[in-house]
Amino acid sequence: MDALTLELLNGASLFAILAIVALGLGIVFGLMGVINLAHGEFVMLGAYVAYVVHTVGLNHWLSVPLAAVVLFVLGVVIEVGLIRRIHRQPELTILATFGLSVCLRQIAELVFSKDFQSVPNPVPGATEAFGVLFPTYRYLLIAIAAVVVAATLLAFTRSRFGLVVRAIVADRDLAESAGIRTGMTNLCAFGVGAATAGIAGALVAPLGAVEPQAGLAYLPGAFLVVIVGGYNRLWGVAAGALTVAAVQTGVIHFYDAVWAQIASLALAVLVLQFRRPTPAGAVA
Amino acid sequence: MRLEATDLRSGYGTVPVLHGVSLTVSSGEIVALVGRNGAGKTTLVKTVLGVLRSTGGALHLDGVDITRMPPSRRVRAGLRATFQERALFGALTVSDNLRLSGFGSESHDRVLDAFGPALSGRGSQRTGTLSGGEQKMLAAAIALATDASLLVMDEPTEGLQPSNVALLGDHIESARDAGRGVLLIEQHLELAKRLADRFIVLEKGEVVDSGPAADPDLAARVARRLLI
């Protein structure tokens, strides 16, 4: 029973990480139809913000909003300087964001070196609950991820901004004709997508090494979530993260991590086989 | 406010549709743009609003060059269009469509009541479930209720029952009387004759005839061109 509880908590932790990492990818792909291959590097940069905050002796929790702000600004700059010019050409966005990911990794290497850095766990120790000991920081991670994902979903579904996004997704030209500044909305969406990746990076920094290649580890998982959950509904990111986390945790429990990855991939392929074709650029 | 198109050209991909259209629409007048199917009327509407990029010529709104402006800036500058098709967001509710056009909830009833009981109290209904005629009425009601100084209306009466055609005509006249300019693309020749101050006839992407609507010779030529 304790082992099962522990697996469930591990699954919840994995769900939290997957959901928060994939959220920004879902926003950018869903709204703009941009397949951002540099999303993992945004997560990596968020982790470096946490590292810098730790290095200068500030409280780790400060790094979460700081990473959001830094990555939002970076996202805005990238949208204006690069994405805006090519976002209606999917093949170009793939190439451009791939190039961007390489550049960001090289810049991180130049600034911070190739060395693995670490960010100490701000809440060390474990908490006993449900009859098992589980790292306290992971409990916090689950709670923060749930709040960030829920707040983002609410912002995109209940606010005027969300309504505008739905209108743009439905018909960009008609939205422009109604006076909606679709360029500004794209800018905000790309900025918010980058900011959520930054938050994810700052949150996962204490769980592993902070290094220039760290983002590569998160990108495949995030894409699996978006594929499984669907990119035509933003809540699909949460559903996708839950499904992928459940499959991975279940397979790890009965087999091992390699089979868990294979099972996730097979799930994504299966979902793609049965999904009705939907044009990219569709979030609600 | 004055909309001025000078030698306007546009098309789809490599296929040119407008071959240098020049026209003006000023405040307080209704200009009826008529022409047979495929004449380029809808292409002109899309080009004027900026949904379709012009490939040549210029567009000025009150002397300001809007040729390269995105549609949303043209709308904020005082231009508003209703499209023949895809005029509303079908997946959103009627109220959401009103909100997107800048109407606060306090003004929704006013807009919806403009065409009598047909749209009253339908705010929570998904727009795509309205009939084609109701959607046309809603699109027209929204455009007319905005504070746009210049309206471009593409076949607004298509699919409307006769009583609503007359009602829409009254609303368009009221807009003109309130000092707004209207470029009306209309197949319904009787309505166009009733409303228009001037006629412009488009054929194969070119203006082939124009003049005051009161000119009986022009009216006859327009009728003849549309019937041929």
Side-chain angles (χ1 to χ4, degrees):
Chain A
M1 185 63 192
D2 286 355
L4 180 65
T5 308
L6 203 56
E7 290 294 357
L8 285 174
L9 287 170
N10 277 328
S13 171
L14 179 62
F15 161 68
I17 293 169
L18 282 172
I20 200 165
V21 170
L23 189 63
L25 196 69
I27 291 169
V28 170
F29 185 45
L31 171 61
M32 301 166 69
V34 170
I35 297 171
N36 180 16
L37 293 183
H39 189 72
E41 277 61 44
F42 290 172
V43 176
M44 174 268 289
L45 291 175
Y48 270 113
V49 171
Y51 169 70
V52 170
V53 164
H54 159 66
T55 308
V56 298
L58 294 173
N59 188 311
H60 170 75
W61 296 112
L62 185 65
S63 69
V64 178
L66 192 61
V69 172
V70 169
L71 268 295
F72 180 84
V73 173
L74 181 69
V76 165
V77 170
I78 290 171
E79 202 279 333
V80 172
L82 180 68
I83 304 296
R84 177 167 297 188
R85 297 156 206 279
I86 55 172
H87 84 272
R88 290 197 189 217
Q89 297 160 275
E91 66 283 0
L92 275 186
T93 59
I94 290 171
L95 286 172
T97 55
F98 174 72
L100 178 67
S101 72
V102 175
C103 286
L104 292 176
R105 284 201 297 276
Q106 294 301 316
I107 290 168
E109 213 172 291
L110 282 171
V111 177
F112 299 103
S113 85
K114 280 183 179 176
D115 297 342
F116 283 31
Q117 314 291 348
S118 65
V119 174
N121 188 337
V123 193
T127 300
E128 188 171 356
F130 313 111
V132 294
L133 275 173
F134 193 68
T136 309
Y137 184 73
R138 286 191 179 259
Y139 274 122
L140 282 170
L141 183 69
I142 293 166
I144 294 169
V147 168
V148 170
V149 172
T152 309
L153 285 178
L154 279 176
F156 274 83
T157 53
R158 302 283 175 202
S159 65
R160 177 171 165 80
F161 178 70
L163 178 63
V164 165
V165 166
R166 292 203 297 280
I168 293 172
V169 165
D171 192 328
R172 184 172 290 271
D173 287 340
L174 186 57
E176 272 281 334
S177 310
I180 294 167
R181 293 190 288 178
T182 59
M184 181 58 76
T185 311
N186 278 354
L187 187 74
C188 289
F190 203 82
V192 169
T196 58
I199 292 172
L203 286 174
V204 299
L207 300 177
V210 179
E211 50 106 8
Q213 310 291 323
L216 293 174
Y218 293 104
L219 194 63
F223 269 112
L224 282 178
V225 166
V226 173
I227 290 169
V228 170
Y231 38 79
N232 54 343
R233 295 279 188 275
L234 196 55
W235 57 260
V237 172
L242 189 63
T243 311
V244 172
V247 167
Q248 291 205 355
T249 307
V251 176
I252 286 172
H253 182 72
F254 291 108
Y255 297 97
D256 56 34
V258 175
W259 279 106
Q261 289 295 331
I262 294 169
S264 308
L265 205 58
L267 177 69
V269 171
L270 208 63
V271 167
L272 284 177
Q273 293 299 316
F274 288 100
R275 177 168 296 147
R276 280 185 308 168
T278 312
V283 148
Chain B
M1 183 157 280
R2 178 181 164 92
L3 174 74
E4 186 172 3
T6 313
D7 195 28
L8 195 64
R9 294 162 190 274
S10 76
Y12 303 93
T14 56
V15 181
V17 177
L18 298 184
H19 305 282
V21 172
S22 297
L23 57 82
T24 60
V25 184
S26 301
S27 297
E29 72 167 344
I30 297 173
V31 177
L33 183 76
V34 295
R36 299 168 71 188
N37 290 338
K41 304 186 295 292
T42 296
T43 303
L44 180 67
V45 172
K46 288 179 177 175
T47 312
V48 166
L49 200 71
V51 173
L52 194 62
R53 278 207 156 201
S54 58
T55 53
L59 265 171
H60 289 86
L61 194 61
D62 257 357
V64 178
D65 189 348
I66 60 166
T67 318
R68 296 287 161 222
M69 271 189 192
S72 55
R73 279 188 66 192
R74 298 183 193 203
V75 170
R76 286 197 299 283
L79 197 60
R80 186 86 193 193
T82 63
F83 295 108
Q84 187 181 6
E85 291 167 353
R86 296 191 307 135
L88 297 162
F89 298 100
L92 303 181
T93 64
V94 170
S95 290
D96 284 342
N97 272 282
L98 289 164
R99 282 172 65 202
L100 286 168
S101 288
F103 295 103
S105 52
E106 71 287 349
S107 57
H108 286 191
D109 287 343
R110 176 176 58 83
V111 180
L112 294 177
D113 292 345
F115 284 90
L119 297 171
S120 297
R122 311 276 290 269
S124 59
Q125 190 170 338
R126 202 165 68 85
T127 309
T129 63
L130 297 175
S131 73
E134 287 168 342
Q135 290 188 42
K136 279 279 182 182
M137 277 194 283
L138 179 58
I142 288 175
L144 288 161
T146 62
D147 55 5
S149 308
L150 220 142
L151 299 170
V152 182
M153 306 183 85
D154 191 1
E155 309 272 4
T157 61
E158 192 183 40
L160 292 191
Q161 63 188 46
S163 60
N164 285 329
V165 170
L167 192 55
L168 177 58
D170 293 344
H171 282 296
I172 294 171
E173 270 186 325
S174 300
R176 185 255 317 271
D177 296 343
R180 303 162 86 179
V182 181
L183 178 62
L184 179 68
I185 288 82
E186 186 56 64
Q187 295 270 26
H188 202 285
L189 196 55
E190 285 310 308
L191 181 73
K193 278 186 191 169
R194 184 194 125 193
L195 298 178
D197 298 294
R198 284 193 294 126
F199 269 109
I200 293 176
V201 185
L202 203 62
E203 209 170 271
K204 294 181 180 172
E206 290 176 8
V207 173
V208 292
D209 208 346
S210 63
D215 179 353
D217 289 346
L218 176 69
R221 289 199 305 274
V222 167
R224 210 164 38 245
R225 280 186 185 279
L226 292 183
L227 284 173
I228 290 168

